Amino acid sequence: MDRRKTLVKVSKWIKFLGANDSLYTLLLMAMAGIVIWIFYKVKFIFDPIMVILSDLLPPLILGIVLYYLLNPLVDRLGKHLTRKWTVTVIYCVLLGVLALLGVEIVLMVQNQMEDLLRQFPKMISEFQKKGEAFISSLPFSKEISQSIDSIDISGSKINSYIEQYLQQGINSFSSFFSTISTILITVFTGPIIAFFLLKDKEHFFKYIKSLMPPIFRDDFQEIGKIADQQIGGYLKGQIVASLILGIMYFPTFLLIGLNYSGIVALAAGIFSIIPYVGSFIAFLPGIIIAFQMSTWMAIKFAIAWFVVQFLHGQFIVPRVMGDNLQLHPVTVLLVLLVMGDLLGIVGVIFGIPFYCLLKVMVIYLFRRFKRRYNRFFGESGYYEETDFSKDKYLKK
Protein backbone atom coordinates (compact mmCIF):
# COMPACT_ATOMS: atom_id res chain seq x y z
CA MET A 1 0.00 0.00 0.00
CA ASP A 2 2.79 2.43 0.92
CA ARG A 3 4.63 1.50 -2.25
CA ARG A 4 1.52 2.24 -4.33
CA LYS A 5 1.16 5.69 -2.72
CA THR A 6 4.82 6.40 -3.48
CA LEU A 7 4.34 5.37 -7.10
CA VAL A 8 1.27 7.62 -7.35
CA LYS A 9 3.20 10.57 -5.99
CA VAL A 10 6.13 9.94 -8.31
CA SER A 11 3.80 9.55 -11.28
CA LYS A 12 2.03 12.82 -10.43
CA TRP A 13 5.34 14.68 -10.20
CA ILE A 14 6.54 13.19 -13.49
CA LYS A 15 3.30 14.24 -15.16
CA PHE A 16 3.72 17.70 -13.69
CA LEU A 17 7.05 17.89 -15.49
CA GLY A 18 5.30 16.89 -18.73
CA ALA A 19 6.49 13.30 -19.00
CA ASN A 20 5.06 9.79 -18.59
CA ASP A 21 7.86 8.12 -16.65
CA SER A 22 11.02 9.06 -14.76
CA LEU A 23 13.36 7.70 -17.47
CA TYR A 24 11.82 10.02 -20.06
CA THR A 25 12.26 12.98 -17.69
CA LEU A 26 15.91 12.14 -17.00
CA LEU A 27 16.63 11.78 -20.73
CA LEU A 28 14.93 15.12 -21.41
CA MET A 29 17.01 16.88 -18.76
CA ALA A 30 20.20 15.24 -20.08
CA MET A 31 19.41 16.32 -23.64
CA ALA A 32 18.76 19.88 -22.45
CA GLY A 33 22.15 19.91 -20.73
CA ILE A 34 23.88 18.56 -23.85
CA VAL A 35 22.22 21.20 -26.05
CA ILE A 36 23.35 23.98 -23.68
CA TRP A 37 26.90 22.57 -23.66
CA ILE A 38 26.99 22.37 -27.49
CA PHE A 39 25.73 25.94 -27.84
CA TYR A 40 28.43 27.09 -25.42
CA LYS A 41 31.15 25.34 -27.42
CA VAL A 42 30.03 26.74 -30.80
CA LYS A 43 29.04 30.20 -29.61
CA PHE A 44 31.49 31.76 -32.11
CA ILE A 45 29.01 30.78 -34.85
CA PHE A 46 26.62 33.40 -33.52
CA ASP A 47 29.13 36.28 -33.75
CA PRO A 48 27.91 37.36 -37.23
CA ILE A 49 24.33 37.31 -35.92
CA MET A 50 25.34 39.57 -33.03
CA VAL A 51 27.01 41.96 -35.49
CA ILE A 52 23.82 42.10 -37.55
CA LEU A 53 21.69 42.64 -34.44
CA SER A 54 24.00 45.40 -33.20
CA ASP A 55 23.56 47.17 -36.54
CA LEU A 56 19.78 46.74 -36.52
CA LEU A 57 19.14 47.68 -32.90
CA PRO A 58 19.83 51.46 -33.00
CA PRO A 59 17.40 52.33 -35.85
CA LEU A 60 14.87 49.82 -34.51
CA ILE A 61 14.97 51.34 -31.03
CA LEU A 62 14.67 54.86 -32.45
CA GLY A 63 11.75 53.72 -34.62
CA ILE A 64 9.96 52.21 -31.62
CA VAL A 65 10.53 55.35 -29.54
CA LEU A 66 9.16 57.56 -32.32
CA TYR A 67 6.23 55.20 -32.74
CA TYR A 68 5.23 55.50 -29.10
CA LEU A 69 5.70 59.28 -29.14
CA LEU A 70 3.58 59.85 -32.25
CA ASN A 71 1.02 57.06 -31.99
CA PRO A 72 -1.38 58.91 -29.61
CA LEU A 73 -1.39 61.92 -31.96
CA VAL A 74 -1.94 59.67 -34.98
CA ASP A 75 -4.84 57.90 -33.23
CA ARG A 76 -6.47 61.22 -32.40
CA LEU A 77 -6.06 62.77 -35.85
CA GLY A 78 -6.87 59.47 -37.56
CA LYS A 79 -10.55 60.07 -36.85
CA HIS A 80 -10.58 62.75 -39.55
CA LEU A 81 -8.06 61.35 -42.08
CA THR A 82 -6.84 57.95 -43.14
CA ARG A 83 -3.94 56.66 -41.05
CA LYS A 84 -1.53 56.90 -43.99
CA TRP A 85 -2.32 60.57 -44.66
CA THR A 86 -2.30 61.38 -40.95
CA VAL A 87 1.23 60.03 -40.52
CA THR A 88 2.37 61.83 -43.70
CA VAL A 89 1.01 65.18 -42.51
CA ILE A 90 2.62 64.80 -39.07
CA TYR A 91 5.98 63.96 -40.63
CA CYS A 92 5.79 66.98 -42.96
CA VAL A 93 4.96 69.30 -40.04
CA LEU A 94 7.81 67.90 -37.94
CA LEU A 95 10.28 68.27 -40.81
CA GLY A 96 9.17 71.87 -41.30
CA VAL A 97 9.60 72.67 -37.60
CA LEU A 98 13.04 71.05 -37.53
CA ALA A 99 14.08 72.97 -40.64
CA LEU A 100 13.00 76.30 -39.14
CA LEU A 101 14.17 75.89 -35.55
CA GLY A 102 16.76 73.13 -35.80
CA VAL A 103 19.47 75.30 -37.41
CA GLU A 104 19.15 78.02 -34.78
CA ILE A 105 19.22 75.56 -31.91
CA VAL A 106 22.17 73.61 -33.34
CA LEU A 107 24.23 76.78 -33.88
CA MET A 108 23.51 78.04 -30.36
CA VAL A 109 24.37 74.71 -28.79
CA GLN A 110 27.48 74.28 -30.92
CA ASN A 111 28.90 77.70 -29.99
CA GLN A 112 28.21 77.27 -26.30
CA MET A 113 29.53 73.70 -26.30
CA GLU A 114 32.83 74.62 -27.96
CA ASP A 115 33.40 77.44 -25.47
CA LEU A 116 32.39 75.25 -22.53
CA LEU A 117 34.72 72.40 -23.53
CA ARG A 118 37.63 74.86 -23.67
CA GLN A 119 36.81 76.40 -20.30
CA PHE A 120 35.59 73.37 -18.35
CA PRO A 121 39.01 72.00 -17.19
CA LYS A 122 39.85 75.48 -15.89
CA MET A 123 36.47 75.67 -14.15
CA ILE A 124 37.12 72.32 -12.47
CA SER A 125 40.50 73.52 -11.21
CA GLU A 126 39.11 76.76 -9.82
CA PHE A 127 36.17 74.90 -8.30
CA GLN A 128 38.64 72.69 -6.43
CA LYS A 129 40.55 75.72 -5.17
CA LYS A 130 37.39 77.40 -3.90
CA GLY A 131 36.30 74.16 -2.28
CA GLU A 132 39.67 73.76 -0.55
CA ALA A 133 39.52 77.34 0.69
CA PHE A 134 36.04 76.77 2.07
CA ILE A 135 37.02 73.49 3.75
CA SER A 136 40.09 75.07 5.38
CA SER A 137 37.78 77.40 7.29
CA LEU A 138 35.79 74.50 8.75
CA PRO A 139 36.46 72.48 11.93
CA PHE A 140 38.33 69.21 11.28
CA SER A 141 39.59 70.74 8.03
CA LYS A 142 42.74 68.62 8.10
CA GLU A 143 40.82 65.31 8.20
CA ILE A 144 38.41 66.48 5.50
CA SER A 145 41.29 67.62 3.25
CA GLN A 146 42.99 64.23 3.58
CA SER A 147 39.80 62.47 2.49
CA ILE A 148 39.34 64.80 -0.49
CA ASP A 149 42.99 64.46 -1.56
CA SER A 150 42.35 60.77 -2.18
CA ILE A 151 39.73 61.74 -4.80
CA ASP A 152 40.99 62.98 -8.18
CA ILE A 153 38.39 65.17 -9.89
CA SER A 154 40.70 66.85 -12.35
CA GLY A 155 39.33 67.88 -15.73
CA SER A 156 41.37 65.25 -17.57
CA LYS A 157 40.15 62.54 -15.22
CA ILE A 158 36.50 63.52 -15.68
CA ASN A 159 36.91 63.69 -19.45
CA SER A 160 38.49 60.22 -19.49
CA TYR A 161 35.61 58.79 -17.42
CA ILE A 162 33.01 60.37 -19.69
CA GLU A 163 34.79 59.18 -22.82
CA GLN A 164 35.15 55.63 -21.47
CA TYR A 165 31.48 55.39 -20.44
CA LEU A 166 30.14 56.82 -23.68
CA GLN A 167 32.42 54.52 -25.66
CA GLN A 168 31.01 51.54 -23.78
CA GLY A 169 27.50 52.61 -24.76
CA ILE A 170 28.52 53.13 -28.39
CA ASN A 171 30.19 49.72 -28.54
CA SER A 172 27.01 48.08 -27.25
CA PHE A 173 25.18 49.50 -30.24
CA SER A 174 27.66 48.65 -32.94
CA SER A 175 31.13 47.18 -33.09
CA PHE A 176 31.38 47.03 -36.86
CA PHE A 177 30.47 50.44 -38.21
CA SER A 178 32.03 53.64 -36.98
CA THR A 179 30.11 55.85 -34.62
CA ILE A 180 29.33 58.39 -37.32
CA SER A 181 27.94 55.83 -39.73
CA THR A 182 25.82 54.29 -36.95
CA ILE A 183 24.34 57.68 -36.08
CA LEU A 184 23.61 58.49 -39.72
CA ILE A 185 21.99 55.12 -40.36
CA THR A 186 19.93 55.47 -37.19
CA VAL A 187 18.78 59.01 -37.97
CA PHE A 188 17.67 58.13 -41.50
CA THR A 189 16.22 54.65 -41.02
CA GLY A 190 14.66 55.07 -37.55
CA PRO A 191 11.95 57.52 -38.73
CA ILE A 192 11.25 55.28 -41.74
CA ILE A 193 10.66 52.30 -39.43
CA ALA A 194 8.40 54.46 -37.27
CA PHE A 195 6.48 55.63 -40.36
CA PHE A 196 5.55 52.09 -41.39
CA LEU A 197 4.80 51.03 -37.82
CA LEU A 198 2.41 53.98 -37.50
CA LYS A 199 0.85 53.48 -40.93
CA ASP A 200 0.35 49.70 -40.72
CA LYS A 201 -0.06 49.31 -36.98
CA GLU A 202 -3.05 46.94 -37.03
CA HIS A 203 -1.72 44.80 -39.90
CA PHE A 204 1.64 44.45 -38.20
CA PHE A 205 0.24 43.23 -34.88
CA LYS A 206 -2.25 40.89 -36.59
CA TYR A 207 0.60 39.33 -38.55
CA ILE A 208 2.73 38.82 -35.41
CA LYS A 209 -0.27 37.29 -33.62
CA SER A 210 -0.92 34.92 -36.53
CA LEU A 211 2.59 33.47 -36.11
CA MET A 212 1.81 32.35 -32.56
CA PRO A 213 0.30 28.90 -31.88
CA PRO A 214 -3.49 29.28 -31.52
CA ILE A 215 -3.47 28.02 -27.93
CA PHE A 216 -1.17 30.89 -26.86
CA ARG A 217 -2.77 33.71 -28.88
CA ASP A 218 -5.02 35.01 -26.10
CA ASP A 219 -2.11 35.10 -23.64
CA PHE A 220 0.12 36.68 -26.28
CA GLN A 221 -2.50 39.38 -26.85
CA GLU A 222 -2.66 40.15 -23.13
CA ILE A 223 1.15 40.26 -22.87
CA GLY A 224 1.23 42.58 -25.87
CA LYS A 225 -1.34 44.90 -24.29
CA ILE A 226 0.60 45.10 -21.03
CA ALA A 227 3.95 45.62 -22.76
CA ASP A 228 2.45 48.24 -25.05
CA GLN A 229 0.88 50.08 -22.14
CA GLN A 230 3.93 49.95 -19.85
CA ILE A 231 6.83 50.31 -22.26
CA GLY A 232 4.98 52.81 -24.45
CA GLY A 233 3.81 54.78 -21.43
CA TYR A 234 7.30 54.89 -19.98
CA LEU A 235 9.10 55.91 -23.19
CA LYS A 236 6.51 58.50 -24.13
CA GLY A 237 6.17 59.87 -20.62
CA GLN A 238 9.87 59.98 -19.83
CA ILE A 239 10.81 61.73 -23.07
CA VAL A 240 7.94 64.23 -22.90
CA ALA A 241 8.62 64.94 -19.21
CA SER A 242 12.34 65.45 -19.93
CA LEU A 243 11.56 67.76 -22.85
CA ILE A 244 9.26 69.86 -20.66
CA LEU A 245 11.90 69.98 -17.93
CA GLY A 246 14.52 71.28 -20.37
CA ILE A 247 12.07 73.92 -21.63
CA MET A 248 11.34 74.98 -18.03
CA TYR A 249 15.03 75.26 -17.16
CA PHE A 250 16.12 77.33 -20.17
CA PRO A 251 14.20 80.58 -19.40
CA THR A 252 14.89 80.07 -15.68
CA PHE A 253 18.66 79.97 -16.24
CA LEU A 254 18.46 82.93 -18.60
CA LEU A 255 16.53 84.86 -15.95
CA ILE A 256 19.17 84.33 -13.25
CA GLY A 257 21.97 85.14 -15.74
CA LEU A 258 23.72 81.74 -15.81
CA ASN A 259 26.46 81.29 -18.40
CA TYR A 260 25.92 78.47 -20.90
CA SER A 261 22.25 78.36 -19.93
CA GLY A 262 21.32 76.63 -23.19
CA ILE A 263 23.82 73.80 -22.68
CA VAL A 264 22.91 73.30 -19.02
CA ALA A 265 19.17 73.25 -19.80
CA LEU A 266 19.77 70.83 -22.69
CA ALA A 267 21.89 68.56 -20.47
CA ALA A 268 19.20 68.65 -17.77
CA GLY A 269 16.55 67.61 -20.29
CA ILE A 270 18.64 64.83 -21.85
CA PHE A 271 19.97 63.33 -18.62
CA SER A 272 16.53 63.46 -16.98
CA ILE A 273 15.57 60.60 -19.30
CA ILE A 274 17.55 58.51 -16.78
CA PRO A 275 15.30 58.27 -13.69
CA TYR A 276 16.59 59.77 -10.42
CA VAL A 277 20.29 59.62 -11.35
CA GLY A 278 20.09 61.79 -14.49
CA SER A 279 19.05 64.98 -12.73
CA PHE A 280 21.97 64.70 -10.30
CA ILE A 281 24.42 64.12 -13.16
CA ALA A 282 23.19 67.25 -14.94
CA PHE A 283 23.29 69.27 -11.71
CA LEU A 284 27.05 68.85 -11.21
CA PRO A 285 28.34 70.77 -14.28
CA GLY A 286 25.67 73.42 -13.69
CA ILE A 287 26.77 74.11 -10.11
CA ILE A 288 30.42 74.19 -11.20
CA ILE A 289 29.62 76.78 -13.88
CA ALA A 290 27.62 78.79 -11.34
CA PHE A 291 30.45 78.70 -8.76
CA GLN A 292 32.83 79.89 -11.47
CA MET A 293 30.73 83.06 -11.77
CA SER A 294 30.15 83.72 -8.04
CA THR A 295 28.96 82.14 -4.82
CA TRP A 296 25.71 84.08 -5.05
CA MET A 297 25.12 82.71 -8.54
CA ALA A 298 25.66 79.18 -7.21
CA ILE A 299 23.03 79.81 -4.52
CA LYS A 300 20.58 81.18 -7.11
CA PHE A 301 21.27 78.24 -9.41
CA ALA A 302 20.68 75.70 -6.63
CA ILE A 303 17.42 77.37 -5.58
CA ALA A 304 16.19 77.62 -9.18
CA TRP A 305 17.17 74.02 -9.90
CA PHE A 306 15.32 72.51 -6.96
CA VAL A 307 12.27 74.75 -7.35
CA VAL A 308 11.89 73.68 -11.00
CA GLN A 309 12.51 70.05 -10.01
CA PHE A 310 9.80 70.30 -7.34
CA LEU A 311 7.25 71.90 -9.69
CA HIS A 312 8.08 69.41 -12.43
CA GLY A 313 7.77 66.44 -10.07
CA GLN A 314 4.51 67.64 -8.52
CA PHE A 315 2.58 68.87 -11.55
CA ILE A 316 4.17 67.53 -14.76
CA VAL A 317 5.38 63.99 -14.04
CA PRO A 318 2.13 62.65 -12.48
CA ARG A 319 0.11 63.86 -15.49
CA VAL A 320 2.58 62.64 -18.10
CA MET A 321 3.87 59.41 -16.53
CA GLY A 322 1.05 58.23 -14.31
CA ASP A 323 1.70 55.27 -11.98
CA ASN A 324 1.32 52.31 -14.30
CA LEU A 325 4.85 50.93 -14.01
CA GLN A 326 4.40 50.03 -10.33
CA LEU A 327 8.16 50.13 -9.72
CA HIS A 328 9.69 50.96 -6.37
CA PRO A 329 12.46 53.61 -6.51
CA VAL A 330 14.95 51.08 -5.09
CA THR A 331 14.07 48.66 -7.91
CA VAL A 332 14.64 51.43 -10.46
CA LEU A 333 18.08 52.23 -9.02
CA LEU A 334 19.09 48.55 -8.98
CA VAL A 335 17.97 48.12 -12.60
CA LEU A 336 19.99 51.19 -13.61
CA LEU A 337 23.10 49.88 -11.86
CA VAL A 338 22.87 46.41 -13.40
CA MET A 339 21.92 47.49 -16.92
CA GLY A 340 24.47 50.30 -16.87
CA ASP A 341 27.19 47.80 -16.02
CA LEU A 342 26.03 45.40 -18.75
CA LEU A 343 25.28 47.82 -21.63
CA GLY A 344 26.71 51.18 -20.59
CA ILE A 345 24.72 54.30 -21.40
CA VAL A 346 22.31 52.32 -23.58
CA GLY A 347 21.45 50.06 -20.65
CA VAL A 348 20.89 53.04 -18.38
CA ILE A 349 18.44 54.65 -20.82
CA PHE A 350 16.54 51.53 -21.91
CA GLY A 351 17.02 49.37 -18.81
CA ILE A 352 13.60 50.20 -17.33
CA PRO A 353 11.60 49.21 -20.47
CA PHE A 354 13.61 45.98 -20.71
CA TYR A 355 12.94 45.24 -17.04
CA CYS A 356 9.20 45.89 -17.49
CA LEU A 357 9.08 43.44 -20.40
CA LEU A 358 11.06 40.85 -18.43
CA LYS A 359 8.78 41.33 -15.42
CA VAL A 360 5.67 40.72 -17.55
CA MET A 361 7.13 37.50 -18.96
CA VAL A 362 8.22 36.21 -15.52
CA ILE A 363 4.80 36.90 -13.99
CA TYR A 364 3.07 35.25 -16.95
CA LEU A 365 5.24 32.11 -16.70
CA PHE A 366 4.80 31.94 -12.94
CA ARG A 367 1.01 32.10 -13.27
CA ARG A 368 1.15 29.33 -15.85
CA PHE A 369 3.20 27.35 -13.34
CA LYS A 370 0.59 28.00 -10.63
CA ARG A 371 -2.19 26.75 -12.89
CA ARG A 372 -0.26 23.58 -13.62
CA TYR A 373 0.52 23.10 -9.94
CA ASN A 374 -3.17 23.44 -9.03
CA ARG A 375 -4.02 20.85 -11.67
CA PHE A 376 -1.75 18.15 -10.22
CA PHE A 377 -1.37 19.10 -6.55
CA GLY A 378 -4.55 21.08 -5.90
CA GLU A 379 -5.72 18.73 -3.13
CA SER A 380 -2.86 20.06 -0.95
CA GLY A 381 -3.95 23.68 -1.46
CA TYR A 382 -4.51 26.01 -4.39
CA TYR A 383 -2.46 28.92 -5.64
CA GLU A 384 -4.41 32.16 -5.94
CA GLU A 385 -4.24 34.68 -8.81
CA THR A 386 -3.64 32.22 -11.60
CA ASP A 387 -5.44 34.17 -14.33
CA PHE A 388 -3.37 36.45 -16.54
CA SER A 389 -4.86 39.59 -18.05
CA LYS A 390 -4.01 43.24 -18.42
CA ASP A 391 -6.58 44.36 -15.83
CA LYS A 392 -5.41 41.86 -13.22
CA TYR A 393 -1.74 42.54 -13.89
CA LEU A 394 -2.18 46.29 -13.45
CA LYS A 395 -4.43 45.90 -10.43
CA LYS A 396 -3.02 47.92 -7.56
Side-chain angles (χ1 to χ4, degrees):
M1 186 70 179
D2 294 337
R3 183 182 177 186
R4 185 178 299 174
K5 287 183 179 179
T6 304
L7 289 175
V8 171
K9 289 182 181 178
V10 172
S11 177
K12 189 179 293 187
W13 171 247
I14 296 301
K15 288 182 179 180
F16 174 76
L17 295 176
N20 295 319
D21 53 54
S22 56
L23 180 61
Y24 178 86
T25 304
L26 291 174
L27 288 174
L28 191 64
M29 295 174 63
M31 288 178 63
I34 292 172
V35 168
I36 294 173
W37 181 79
I38 292 174
F39 271 99
Y40 175 75
K41 288 297 183 180
V42 298
K43 60 183 179 180
F44 61 89
I45 297 176
F46 301 99
D47 289 343
I49 298 176
M50 296 305 298
V51 171
I52 294 172
L53 287 177
S54 65
D55 293 336
L56 293 177
L57 273 179
L60 184 60
I61 290 175
L62 178 60
I64 292 174
V65 170
L66 291 175
Y67 164 79
Y68 279 118
L69 283 174
L70 300 177
N71 187 56
L73 182 61
V74 173
D75 288 339
R76 183 169 298 182
L77 297 179
K79 300 175 183 178
H80 308 286
L81 294 171
T82 63
R83 197 167 182 89
K84 177 181 178 180
W85 281 107
T86 302
V87 178
T88 303
V89 169
I90 291 174
Y91 265 59
C92 291
V93 172
L94 289 177
L95 287 174
V97 171
L98 289 175
L100 292 174
L101 300 179
V103 176
E104 293 290 337
I105 295 174
V106 168
L107 289 176
M108 180 193 71
V109 170
Q110 181 182 0
N111 293 333
Q112 290 192 12
M113 180 63 75
E114 290 176 354
D115 190 32
L116 179 61
L117 290 176
R118 286 194 299 267
Q119 299 295 329
F120 199 68
K122 181 181 178 182
M123 291 181 183
I124 290 287
S125 177
E126 294 187 6
F127 181 74
Q128 279 186 289
K129 291 178 181 178
K130 289 183 179 180
E132 291 171 357
F134 175 75
I135 290 171
S136 63
S137 63
L138 297 175
F140 309 105
S141 58
K142 184 177 180 181
E143 290 79 2
I144 297 174
S145 297
Q146 289 176 351
S147 300
I148 293 178
D149 288 341
S150 63
I151 303 173
D152 183 9
I153 58 170
S154 63
S156 59
K157 194 75 171 179
I158 290 178
N159 289 336
S160 65
Y161 280 139
I162 293 174
E163 182 180 354
Q164 180 182 358
Y165 200 67
L166 290 177
Q167 187 62 42
Q168 183 181 359
I170 292 170
N171 289 338
S172 67
F173 264 139
S174 176
S175 59
F176 183 74
F177 290 112
S178 66
T179 305
I180 299 299
S181 64
T182 302
I183 293 174
L184 290 176
I185 292 172
T186 302
V187 168
F188 281 105
T189 57
I192 296 174
I193 293 173
F195 178 87
F196 286 104
L197 284 176
L198 291 165
K199 183 176 75 72
D200 300 320
K201 171 186 172 182
E202 298 298 331
H203 297 291
F204 175 75
F205 287 111
K206 284 182 180 179
Y207 175 73
I208 296 296
K209 185 179 177 181
S210 68
L211 298 177
M212 302 299 297
I215 193 174
F216 295 117
R217 286 179 184 174
D218 290 339
D219 290 341
F220 175 77
Q221 186 170 351
E222 291 300 318
I223 292 173
K225 288 179 181 179
I226 296 170
D228 181 66
Q229 187 270 340
Q230 292 214 306
I231 297 176
Y234 174 81
L235 290 175
K236 179 183 65 179
Q238 198 71 10
I239 292 173
V240 171
S242 300
L243 178 64
I244 295 174
L245 182 64
I247 293 173
M248 292 172 67
Y249 270 131
F250 183 57
T252 304
F253 294 156
L254 284 178
L255 187 63
I256 65 175
L258 180 71
N259 291 340
Y260 311 108
S261 55
I263 292 295
V264 178
L266 180 64
I270 292 175
F271 282 108
S272 293
I273 295 176
I274 306 171
Y276 303 111
V277 181
S279 296
F280 177 74
I281 295 174
F283 175 78
L284 292 178
I287 196 67
I288 292 173
I289 293 171
F291 260 117
Q292 173 68 15
M293 298 177 67
S294 67
T295 305
W296 174 237
M297 176 57 71
I299 295 173
K300 290 195 295 182
F301 172 80
I303 294 173
W305 180 277
F306 290 110
V307 167
V308 172
Q309 282 284 344
F310 174 79
L311 295 175
H312 182 263
Q314 291 294 316
F315 300 105
I316 304 298
V317 173
R319 287 163 176 76
V320 175
M321 294 290 294
D323 189 28
N324 292 319
L325 291 181
Q326 304 178 22
L327 295 180
H328 194 277
V330 175
T331 303
V332 174
L333 292 175
L334 291 176
V335 170
L336 294 178
L337 288 173
V338 173
M339 295 302 294
D341 187 56
L342 291 175
L343 299 176
I345 191 69
V346 177
V348 170
I349 295 175
F350 296 104
I352 300 300
F354 178 79
Y355 172 79
C356 290
L357 182 60
L358 182 63
K359 179 184 174 185
V360 172
M361 294 303 302
V362 169
I363 290 178
Y364 166 72
L365 293 174
F366 184 58
R367 291 193 180 181
R368 294 281 299 187
F369 164 82
K370 289 194 290 186
R371 273 186 256 172
R372 191 168 183 84
Y373 178 90
N374 289 344
R375 176 184 169 189
F376 290 96
F377 301 100
E379 70 274 5
S380 302
Y382 279 87
Y383 267 117
E384 299 83 7
E385 298 182 356
T386 59
D387 294 333
F388 186 82
S389 66
K390 177 182 175 182
D391 294 334
K392 292 191 176 185
Y393 180 86
L394 298 176
K395 184 179 179 181
K396 300 291 192 293

